[in-house]
Amino acid sequence: MPEIGEVARIVHYLHQHLVGKTLKLVKAQHDENVFGKVGTSAAEFEKALTGKKVLDAKQQGKYFWLVMSSPPHPLFHFGMAGWWKIRNHETAYYKPTKPQEPTAWPPKYWKFLLGTDSTDLNDTSHAFIDFRRFGRIRLIDCPAEAIRNVPPLKENGPDPVVDKDILTEEWLVQKLQSKRIPVKALLLDQANISGIGNWVGDELLYDARIHPEQYSNTLTSAQMSQLHKSIHYVCSTAVELRAESDKFPEHWLFKHRWGKGKKDATNCLPNGEKIKFLTVGGRTSAIVPSVQRKTGEVAKDVDEEDEGEEKPKGKKGKKGKKSEKSDVEEEPREIKPKRKRGKTDAEHLVEDGVALKDSKRSKPSRSKKQAVNKEEPTDAAPSDQPNGTGSAIEAELPERKQAQRKLKDERGVTSKAPRMQKAARPAAKAEATEETRGRRRSARVSGAAK
């Protein structure tokens, strides 16, 4: 996002190429975000500016405006990626690494075009572009000298360069002590100070040797005094150099902070101090931990202290810190293992290792049944032990289970030969069918004889 230095660069070019000229052609194409969200339309913009003379160009932080020969006056904000292009002049504040071919005119993503030489659209020389559509274009209907006294400029804080007489050390100390928020979040809030964005905030905090997460009301008098000096130094330098990063001092953090996520990036200053990144106020912050140390209470420290307090569980039962044990410990509850379906009570007793009345042995595996039976003969007959589990397990079975087993034994059904039973069923069915057929023949023969 263009910050105080980048906006000052455009104001500089407007003084060179637009101030003092009359707008013979104004062509705008409506964008509901850029125009509509602030109560303006492309048609209103064209009508308000066509034929008027540009008397001046001014700035407050990230806002800038044109002073026209009569109200209303256009007020601009670049948003995240807006910019002002001038035909046949390079206004960019960075130099591309590769040589680029001359771009076609009008440029892509233009929102309005201005012409000062003729009414021919091909002769326009100024364009406002914004491919992300976060920029804003307003019309302020008031005297030029009163623009800063009406919204939105009235709602913004003083400009560190334009309003040096307002942004004094005493004013800053009062502002810092009146709030309890991370110092960087305070600096980024345009309602406090205009024009400070992400990289400017990191730069001046590095220059002041202050950690960005530290609460503003915990800074010492020496830190607040140094912060005041750093604000004016960094902002004034960025404006004077018109945001040309190649001319920034070599010791600035800006010159070495852009290696995050890049291959073979060192993320170090020339003196070897490492640059680290963290998130403050929803923005990625570059810091040098060796010099930007926490000297007071910060947000993360407060969170750690709060962890000692008992927190109520949320709807989903979030994990909290375990409460201390009471003097009287509760007896541990017996946890019963889940039973698998399809198994008898006796088998569960054997699997769970529950002691039986007459025997503590577990159920032997099938491969060891014969060996167990030979080594430990029992008094019961083999027919009484179809599963090879012994009389001890039999005694533990519920009465209903025992009754069912006895009923099966009486019918000649055993658990050892289910396949034989199934094989015998078709033969028995065939015999019954043949007997029924014989009876039917006899009945027919006797009926015929009668």
PDB file of all heavy atoms in Angstrom, residues 215-242:
ATOM      1  N   TYR A 215       3.030  -2.917  24.870  1.00  0.00           N
ATOM      2  CA  TYR A 215       1.903  -2.006  25.056  1.00  0.00           C
ATOM      3  C   TYR A 215       2.391  -0.568  25.111  1.00  0.00           C
ATOM      4  O   TYR A 215       3.415  -0.257  25.730  1.00  0.00           O
ATOM      5  CB  TYR A 215       1.135  -2.348  26.330  1.00  0.00           C
ATOM      6  CG  TYR A 215       0.182  -3.496  26.163  1.00  0.00           C
ATOM      7  CD1 TYR A 215       0.209  -4.588  27.027  1.00  0.00           C
ATOM      8  CD2 TYR A 215      -0.761  -3.481  25.146  1.00  0.00           C
ATOM      9  CE1 TYR A 215      -0.681  -5.640  26.871  1.00  0.00           C
ATOM     10  CE2 TYR A 215      -1.657  -4.530  24.986  1.00  0.00           C
ATOM     11  CZ  TYR A 215      -1.612  -5.597  25.845  1.00  0.00           C
ATOM     12  OH  TYR A 215      -2.490  -6.638  25.690  1.00  0.00           O
ATOM     13  N   SER A 216       1.610   0.315  24.492  1.00  0.00           N
ATOM     14  CA  SER A 216       2.022   1.715  24.370  1.00  0.00           C
ATOM     15  C   SER A 216       2.146   2.399  25.725  1.00  0.00           C
ATOM     16  O   SER A 216       3.011   3.258  25.900  1.00  0.00           O
ATOM     17  CB  SER A 216       1.007   2.464  23.493  1.00  0.00           C
ATOM     18  OG  SER A 216      -0.293   2.396  24.065  1.00  0.00           O
ATOM     19  N   ASN A 217       1.324   2.017  26.699  1.00  0.00           N
ATOM     20  CA  ASN A 217       1.367   2.693  27.998  1.00  0.00           C
ATOM     21  C   ASN A 217       2.433   2.124  28.930  1.00  0.00           C
ATOM     22  O   ASN A 217       2.489   2.503  30.105  1.00  0.00           O
ATOM     23  CB  ASN A 217      -0.001   2.634  28.678  1.00  0.00           C
ATOM     24  CG  ASN A 217      -0.431   1.213  28.972  1.00  0.00           C
ATOM     25  OD1 ASN A 217       0.133   0.256  28.453  1.00  0.00           O
ATOM     26  ND2 ASN A 217      -1.449   1.057  29.815  1.00  0.00           N
ATOM     27  N   THR A 218       3.267   1.214  28.423  1.00  0.00           N
ATOM     28  CA  THR A 218       4.363   0.675  29.240  1.00  0.00           C
ATOM     29  C   THR A 218       5.726   1.200  28.804  1.00  0.00           C
ATOM     30  O   THR A 218       6.740   0.802  29.372  1.00  0.00           O
ATOM     31  CB  THR A 218       4.385  -0.865  29.173  1.00  0.00           C
ATOM     32  OG1 THR A 218       4.687  -1.275  27.828  1.00  0.00           O
ATOM     33  CG2 THR A 218       3.045  -1.454  29.579  1.00  0.00           C
ATOM     34  N   LEU A 219       5.755   2.069  27.812  1.00  0.00           N
ATOM     35  CA  LEU A 219       7.029   2.619  27.342  1.00  0.00           C
ATOM     36  C   LEU A 219       7.582   3.603  28.367  1.00  0.00           C
ATOM     37  O   LEU A 219       6.841   4.362  29.008  1.00  0.00           O
ATOM     38  CB  LEU A 219       6.841   3.322  25.998  1.00  0.00           C
ATOM     39  CG  LEU A 219       6.359   2.465  24.820  1.00  0.00           C
ATOM     40  CD1 LEU A 219       6.157   3.321  23.585  1.00  0.00           C
ATOM     41  CD2 LEU A 219       7.353   1.345  24.525  1.00  0.00           C
ATOM     42  N   THR A 220       8.892   3.610  28.492  1.00  0.00           N
ATOM     43  CA  THR A 220       9.541   4.549  29.404  1.00  0.00           C
ATOM     44  C   THR A 220       9.599   5.932  28.769  1.00  0.00           C
ATOM     45  O   THR A 220       9.358   6.100  27.566  1.00  0.00           O
ATOM     46  CB  THR A 220      10.954   4.074  29.738  1.00  0.00           C
ATOM     47  OG1 THR A 220      11.746   4.065  28.533  1.00  0.00           O
ATOM     48  CG2 THR A 220      10.934   2.655  30.320  1.00  0.00           C
ATOM     49  N   SER A 221       9.948   6.925  29.568  1.00  0.00           N
ATOM     50  CA  SER A 221      10.060   8.302  29.065  1.00  0.00           C
ATOM     51  C   SER A 221      11.125   8.396  27.985  1.00  0.00           C
ATOM     52  O   SER A 221      10.931   9.090  26.967  1.00  0.00           O
ATOM     53  CB  SER A 221      10.387   9.244  30.223  1.00  0.00           C
ATOM     54  OG  SER A 221       9.359   9.239  31.186  1.00  0.00           O
ATOM     55  N   ALA A 222      12.238   7.664  28.180  1.00  0.00           N
ATOM     56  CA  ALA A 222      13.308   7.684  27.186  1.00  0.00           C
ATOM     57  C   ALA A 222      12.845   7.043  25.881  1.00  0.00           C
ATOM     58  O   ALA A 222      13.178   7.528  24.783  1.00  0.00           O
ATOM     59  CB  ALA A 222      14.537   6.961  27.734  1.00  0.00           C
ATOM     60  N   GLN A 223      12.079   5.964  25.964  1.00  0.00           N
ATOM     61  CA  GLN A 223      11.577   5.298  24.758  1.00  0.00           C
ATOM     62  C   GLN A 223      10.594   6.185  23.997  1.00  0.00           C
ATOM     63  O   GLN A 223      10.627   6.247  22.768  1.00  0.00           O
ATOM     64  CB  GLN A 223      10.911   3.965  25.129  1.00  0.00           C
ATOM     65  CG  GLN A 223      11.892   2.872  25.518  1.00  0.00           C
ATOM     66  CD  GLN A 223      11.176   1.606  25.937  1.00  0.00           C
ATOM     67  OE1 GLN A 223      10.190   1.638  26.679  1.00  0.00           O
ATOM     68  NE2 GLN A 223      11.663   0.474  25.464  1.00  0.00           N
ATOM     69  N   MET A 224       9.707   6.853  24.714  1.00  0.00           N
ATOM     70  CA  MET A 224       8.738   7.724  24.050  1.00  0.00           C
ATOM     71  C   MET A 224       9.422   8.923  23.398  1.00  0.00           C
ATOM     72  O   MET A 224       9.042   9.361  22.308  1.00  0.00           O
ATOM     73  CB  MET A 224       7.681   8.186  25.065  1.00  0.00           C
ATOM     74  CG  MET A 224       6.746   7.064  25.499  1.00  0.00           C
ATOM     75  SD  MET A 224       5.363   7.620  26.541  1.00  0.00           S
ATOM     76  CE  MET A 224       6.238   7.926  28.082  1.00  0.00           C
ATOM     77  N   SER A 225      10.450   9.439  24.045  1.00  0.00           N
ATOM     78  CA  SER A 225      11.201  10.558  23.457  1.00  0.00           C
ATOM     79  C   SER A 225      11.906  10.121  22.180  1.00  0.00           C
ATOM     80  O   SER A 225      11.886  10.835  21.167  1.00  0.00           O
ATOM     81  CB  SER A 225      12.206  11.094  24.471  1.00  0.00           C
ATOM     82  OG  SER A 225      12.977  12.133  23.917  1.00  0.00           O
ATOM     83  N   GLN A 226      12.520   8.930  22.210  1.00  0.00           N
ATOM     84  CA  GLN A 226      13.198   8.427  21.029  1.00  0.00           C
ATOM     85  C   GLN A 226      12.210   8.080  19.921  1.00  0.00           C
ATOM     86  O   GLN A 226      12.490   8.283  18.737  1.00  0.00           O
ATOM     87  CB  GLN A 226      14.031   7.184  21.383  1.00  0.00           C
ATOM     88  CG  GLN A 226      14.790   6.575  20.224  1.00  0.00           C
ATOM     89  CD  GLN A 226      15.736   7.558  19.571  1.00  0.00           C
ATOM     90  OE1 GLN A 226      16.520   8.213  20.253  1.00  0.00           O
ATOM     91  NE2 GLN A 226      15.674   7.674  18.244  1.00  0.00           N
ATOM     92  N   LEU A 227      11.037   7.571  20.285  1.00  0.00           N
ATOM     93  CA  LEU A 227      10.026   7.244  19.284  1.00  0.00           C
ATOM     94  C   LEU A 227       9.577   8.514  18.558  1.00  0.00           C
ATOM     95  O   LEU A 227       9.375   8.493  17.334  1.00  0.00           O
ATOM     96  CB  LEU A 227       8.840   6.559  19.951  1.00  0.00           C
ATOM     97  CG  LEU A 227       7.680   6.162  19.028  1.00  0.00           C
ATOM     98  CD1 LEU A 227       8.150   5.201  17.950  1.00  0.00           C
ATOM     99  CD2 LEU A 227       6.537   5.537  19.830  1.00  0.00           C
ATOM    100  N   HIS A 228       9.424   9.588  19.280  1.00  0.00           N
ATOM    101  CA  HIS A 228       9.048  10.859  18.652  1.00  0.00           C
ATOM    102  C   HIS A 228      10.094  11.291  17.629  1.00  0.00           C
ATOM    103  O   HIS A 228       9.757  11.717  16.511  1.00  0.00           O
ATOM    104  CB  HIS A 228       8.877  11.939  19.732  1.00  0.00           C
ATOM    105  CG  HIS A 228       8.572  13.296  19.179  1.00  0.00           C
ATOM    106  ND1 HIS A 228       9.538  14.279  19.043  1.00  0.00           N
ATOM    107  CD2 HIS A 228       7.414  13.829  18.709  1.00  0.00           C
ATOM    108  CE1 HIS A 228       8.997  15.364  18.520  1.00  0.00           C
ATOM    109  NE2 HIS A 228       7.707  15.123  18.315  1.00  0.00           N
ATOM    110  N   LYS A 229      11.349  11.176  17.976  1.00  0.00           N
ATOM    111  CA  LYS A 229      12.425  11.539  17.055  1.00  0.00           C
ATOM    112  C   LYS A 229      12.434  10.612  15.838  1.00  0.00           C
ATOM    113  O   LYS A 229      12.634  11.053  14.698  1.00  0.00           O
ATOM    114  CB  LYS A 229      13.769  11.474  17.767  1.00  0.00           C
ATOM    115  CG  LYS A 229      13.918  12.488  18.892  1.00  0.00           C
ATOM    116  CD  LYS A 229      15.248  12.297  19.625  1.00  0.00           C
ATOM    117  CE  LYS A 229      15.368  13.265  20.798  1.00  0.00           C
ATOM    118  NZ  LYS A 229      16.619  13.058  21.570  1.00  0.00           N
ATOM    119  N   SER A 230      12.212   9.326  16.072  1.00  0.00           N
ATOM    120  CA  SER A 230      12.244   8.350  14.971  1.00  0.00           C
ATOM    121  C   SER A 230      11.092   8.573  14.005  1.00  0.00           C
ATOM    122  O   SER A 230      11.251   8.403  12.791  1.00  0.00           O
ATOM    123  CB  SER A 230      12.194   6.928  15.534  1.00  0.00           C
ATOM    124  OG  SER A 230      13.321   6.661  16.350  1.00  0.00           O
ATOM    125  N   ILE A 231       9.917   8.936  14.520  1.00  0.00           N
ATOM    126  CA  ILE A 231       8.767   9.199  13.641  1.00  0.00           C
ATOM    127  C   ILE A 231       9.093  10.326  12.673  1.00  0.00           C
ATOM    128  O   ILE A 231       8.889  10.215  11.455  1.00  0.00           O
ATOM    129  CB  ILE A 231       7.515   9.527  14.471  1.00  0.00           C
ATOM    130  CG1 ILE A 231       7.009   8.276  15.204  1.00  0.00           C
ATOM    131  CG2 ILE A 231       6.405  10.086  13.582  1.00  0.00           C
ATOM    132  CD1 ILE A 231       5.866   8.545  16.164  1.00  0.00           C
ATOM    133  N   HIS A 232       9.611  11.410  13.186  1.00  0.00           N
ATOM    134  CA  HIS A 232       9.918  12.556  12.327  1.00  0.00           C
ATOM    135  C   HIS A 232      11.081  12.253  11.391  1.00  0.00           C
ATOM    136  O   HIS A 232      11.065  12.663  10.222  1.00  0.00           O
ATOM    137  CB  HIS A 232      10.221  13.779  13.188  1.00  0.00           C
ATOM    138  CG  HIS A 232       9.001  14.396  13.798  1.00  0.00           C
ATOM    139  ND1 HIS A 232       8.039  15.038  13.052  1.00  0.00           N
ATOM    140  CD2 HIS A 232       8.578  14.459  15.097  1.00  0.00           C
ATOM    141  CE1 HIS A 232       7.081  15.476  13.841  1.00  0.00           C
ATOM    142  NE2 HIS A 232       7.378  15.133  15.092  1.00  0.00           N
ATOM    143  N   TYR A 233      12.067  11.519  11.876  1.00  0.00           N
ATOM    144  CA  TYR A 233      13.232  11.220  11.040  1.00  0.00           C
ATOM    145  C   TYR A 233      12.861  10.323   9.859  1.00  0.00           C
ATOM    146  O   TYR A 233      13.159  10.629   8.707  1.00  0.00           O
ATOM    147  CB  TYR A 233      14.318  10.556  11.898  1.00  0.00           C
ATOM    148  CG  TYR A 233      15.368   9.831  11.087  1.00  0.00           C
ATOM    149  CD1 TYR A 233      16.230  10.524  10.232  1.00  0.00           C
ATOM    150  CD2 TYR A 233      15.486   8.439  11.160  1.00  0.00           C
ATOM    151  CE1 TYR A 233      17.184   9.858   9.478  1.00  0.00           C
ATOM    152  CE2 TYR A 233      16.436   7.769  10.413  1.00  0.00           C
ATOM    153  CZ  TYR A 233      17.282   8.481   9.570  1.00  0.00           C
ATOM    154  OH  TYR A 233      18.225   7.816   8.816  1.00  0.00           O
ATOM    155  N   VAL A 234      12.165   9.210  10.130  1.00  0.00           N
ATOM    156  CA  VAL A 234      11.842   8.249   9.071  1.00  0.00           C
ATOM    157  C   VAL A 234      10.847   8.854   8.082  1.00  0.00           C
ATOM    158  O   VAL A 234      11.022   8.755   6.855  1.00  0.00           O
ATOM    159  CB  VAL A 234      11.288   6.940   9.679  1.00  0.00           C
ATOM    160  CG1 VAL A 234      10.784   6.013   8.586  1.00  0.00           C
ATOM    161  CG2 VAL A 234      12.369   6.238  10.498  1.00  0.00           C
ATOM    162  N   CYS A 235       9.783   9.499   8.585  1.00  0.00           N
ATOM    163  CA  CYS A 235       8.762  10.058   7.684  1.00  0.00           C
ATOM    164  C   CYS A 235       9.329  11.210   6.850  1.00  0.00           C
ATOM    165  O   CYS A 235       9.066  11.295   5.640  1.00  0.00           O
ATOM    166  CB  CYS A 235       7.563  10.538   8.494  1.00  0.00           C
ATOM    167  SG  CYS A 235       6.637   9.196   9.287  1.00  0.00           S
ATOM    168  N   SER A 236      10.102  12.086   7.450  1.00  0.00           N
ATOM    169  CA  SER A 236      10.676  13.210   6.702  1.00  0.00           C
ATOM    170  C   SER A 236      11.652  12.719   5.642  1.00  0.00           C
ATOM    171  O   SER A 236      11.659  13.239   4.510  1.00  0.00           O
ATOM    172  CB  SER A 236      11.387  14.167   7.663  1.00  0.00           C
ATOM    173  OG  SER A 236      10.479  14.725   8.583  1.00  0.00           O
ATOM    174  N   THR A 237      12.458  11.706   5.968  1.00  0.00           N
ATOM    175  CA  THR A 237      13.406  11.162   4.991  1.00  0.00           C
ATOM    176  C   THR A 237      12.674  10.512   3.824  1.00  0.00           C
ATOM    177  O   THR A 237      13.052  10.702   2.661  1.00  0.00           O
ATOM    178  CB  THR A 237      14.337  10.135   5.667  1.00  0.00           C
ATOM    179  OG1 THR A 237      14.998  10.752   6.779  1.00  0.00           O
ATOM    180  CG2 THR A 237      15.374   9.615   4.682  1.00  0.00           C
ATOM    181  N   ALA A 238      11.619   9.734   4.110  1.00  0.00           N
ATOM    182  CA  ALA A 238      10.853   9.079   3.042  1.00  0.00           C
ATOM    183  C   ALA A 238      10.195  10.100   2.126  1.00  0.00           C
ATOM    184  O   ALA A 238      10.151   9.910   0.901  1.00  0.00           O
ATOM    185  CB  ALA A 238       9.798   8.157   3.655  1.00  0.00           C
ATOM    186  N   VAL A 239       9.713  11.218   2.677  1.00  0.00           N
ATOM    187  CA  VAL A 239       9.065  12.253   1.860  1.00  0.00           C
ATOM    188  C   VAL A 239      10.097  13.020   1.047  1.00  0.00           C
ATOM    189  O   VAL A 239       9.898  13.291  -0.150  1.00  0.00           O
ATOM    190  CB  VAL A 239       8.251  13.197   2.766  1.00  0.00           C
ATOM    191  CG1 VAL A 239       7.781  14.416   1.981  1.00  0.00           C
ATOM    192  CG2 VAL A 239       7.049  12.463   3.357  1.00  0.00           C
ATOM    193  N   GLU A 240      11.203  13.367   1.656  1.00  0.00           N
ATOM    194  CA  GLU A 240      12.236  14.126   0.949  1.00  0.00           C
ATOM    195  C   GLU A 240      12.820  13.334  -0.221  1.00  0.00           C
ATOM    196  O   GLU A 240      13.104  13.894  -1.284  1.00  0.00           O
ATOM    197  CB  GLU A 240      13.344  14.511   1.918  1.00  0.00           C
ATOM    198  CG  GLU A 240      12.933  15.569   2.940  1.00  0.00           C
ATOM    199  CD  GLU A 240      14.006  15.792   3.983  1.00  0.00           C
ATOM    200  OE1 GLU A 240      15.084  15.169   3.858  1.00  0.00           O
ATOM    201  OE2 GLU A 240      13.762  16.566   4.931  1.00  0.00           O
ATOM    202  N   LEU A 241      12.980  12.013  -0.028  1.00  0.00           N
ATOM    203  CA  LEU A 241      13.528  11.164  -1.091  1.00  0.00           C
ATOM    204  C   LEU A 241      12.432  10.641  -2.024  1.00  0.00           C
ATOM    205  O   LEU A 241      12.738   9.874  -2.937  1.00  0.00           O
ATOM    206  CB  LEU A 241      14.290   9.983  -0.481  1.00  0.00           C
ATOM    207  CG  LEU A 241      15.511  10.362   0.381  1.00  0.00           C
ATOM    208  CD1 LEU A 241      16.126   9.113   0.995  1.00  0.00           C
ATOM    209  CD2 LEU A 241      16.537  11.119  -0.437  1.00  0.00           C
ATOM    210  N   ARG A 242      11.192  11.053  -1.779  1.00  0.00           N
ATOM    211  CA  ARG A 242      10.041  10.661  -2.597  1.00  0.00           C
ATOM    212  C   ARG A 242       9.947   9.147  -2.755  1.00  0.00           C
ATOM    213  O   ARG A 242       9.652   8.628  -3.830  1.00  0.00           O
ATOM    214  CB  ARG A 242      10.081  11.360  -3.952  1.00  0.00           C
ATOM    215  CG  ARG A 242       9.943  12.861  -3.832  1.00  0.00           C
ATOM    216  CD  ARG A 242       9.737  13.512  -5.183  1.00  0.00           C
ATOM    217  NE  ARG A 242      10.945  13.511  -5.998  1.00  0.00           N
ATOM    218  CZ  ARG A 242      11.909  14.423  -5.913  1.00  0.00           C
ATOM    219  NH1 ARG A 242      11.798  15.418  -5.039  1.00  0.00           N
ATOM    220  NH2 ARG A 242      12.966  14.373  -6.689  1.00  0.00           N
TER     221      ARG A 242
END
